[in-house]
Amino acid sequence: MLKAVYPGSFDPITKGHLDIIERASKLYDELIVLIMENENKKCLFSKQERLAMVQTEVAHLPNVKVDIGSGLTVQYAINNDAKVMIRGIRAVVDYENELQIATTNMMLAEDIETIFLLAKPQHSFLSSSAAKVIAQNKGDLSRFVSDNVAKLLMEKL
Ligand code: ADP
């Protein structure tokens, strides 16, 4: 059984994240979406809130599980017998950061492969931070996040 982990902040989960989840879920027997804290970002939603939010978004995907992580994602993968780490790449700006993370993970656990899925063109300028700015300014979120996430964002802000 081939298991993959898709780690991220998901603060909040966007249509771009969901697309990566849907596509990765077709490639592996089981996909775990792992809610992490990113030291460089201050999250708007707590890990528990993000867990509940992501669970709602992936309810239609039977082989996708959602979990909260801490510490090293490669350690989580080893502990959960997952051989693959999924990350998404939108544009060249993501590449440098993702290269650094994937290379570090390779040095920590060489048996775990990072697989990059390219964002669909319609999602390549879509980010959680943009969704938060749009919500703050009461703009149209429909192309960025689901109706449920838009509602949660509006309530929070
Ligand atoms: P992190 O703080 O770990 O970067 P994010 O939630 O911002 O967490 O992103 C998780 C992963 O999803 C990253 O690999 C990121 O590049 C990717 N990602 C973010 N937005 C999109 C999008 N619109 N389309 C495809 N991949 C995306």
Side-chain angles (χ1 to χ4, degrees):
M1 175 159 134
L2 204 47
K3 254 196 217 183
V5 178
Y6 177 31
S9 316
F10 308 104
D11 183 53
I13 181 168
T14 67
K15 288 188 173 179
H17 290 131
L18 192 58
D19 179 58
I20 298 289
I21 294 169
E22 283 171 349
R23 285 159 56 201
S25 74
K26 292 182 192 148
L27 302 174
Y28 300 97
D29 299 306
E30 187 178 315
L31 177 71
I32 304 171
V33 181
L34 191 64
I35 316 281
M36 297 292 294
E37 219 63 80
N38 182 332
E39 284 164 23
N40 304 317
K41 298 179 185 168
K42 198 185 166 301
C43 282
L44 179 67
F45 293 96
S46 70
K47 281 183 173 180
Q48 286 300 336
E49 287 172 323
R50 283 178 277 150
L51 174 83
M53 189 192 293
V54 177
Q55 272 171 339
T56 305
E57 298 298 302
V58 304
H60 61 296
L61 301 167
N63 66 335
V64 177
K65 288 206 315 199
V66 192
D67 200 1
I68 291 178
S70 61
L72 299 172
T73 48
V74 280
Q75 197 53 53
Y76 181 94
I78 293 167
N79 294 347
N80 287 275
D81 203 23
K83 295 275 179 283
V84 171
M85 204 81 88
I86 300 287
R87 293 288 284 178
I89 291 201
R90 285 162 289 187
V92 182
V93 285
D94 277 342
Y95 178 74
E96 217 171 313
N97 181 41
E98 294 296 339
L99 180 69
Q100 205 171 58
I101 299 171
T103 310
T104 307
N105 284 340
M106 205 184 276
M107 291 193 292
L108 291 171
E110 61 182 20
D111 289 343
I112 294 178
E113 293 291 351
T114 300
I115 304 287
F116 294 108
L117 296 186
L118 295 184
K120 284 202 181 135
Q122 64 266 39
H123 297 141
S124 53
F125 292 101
L126 219 153
S127 67
S128 302
S129 8
K132 284 182 268 195
V133 173
I134 294 167
Q136 234 150 14
N137 293 285
K138 302 194 167 41
D140 178 10
L141 282 164
S142 58
R143 290 174 67 186
F144 285 71
V145 297
S146 70
D147 290 348
N148 179 52
V149 173
K151 190 169 148 278
L152 294 170
L153 259 175
M154 289 306 194
E155 282 168 10
K156 193 70 151 176
L157 294 163

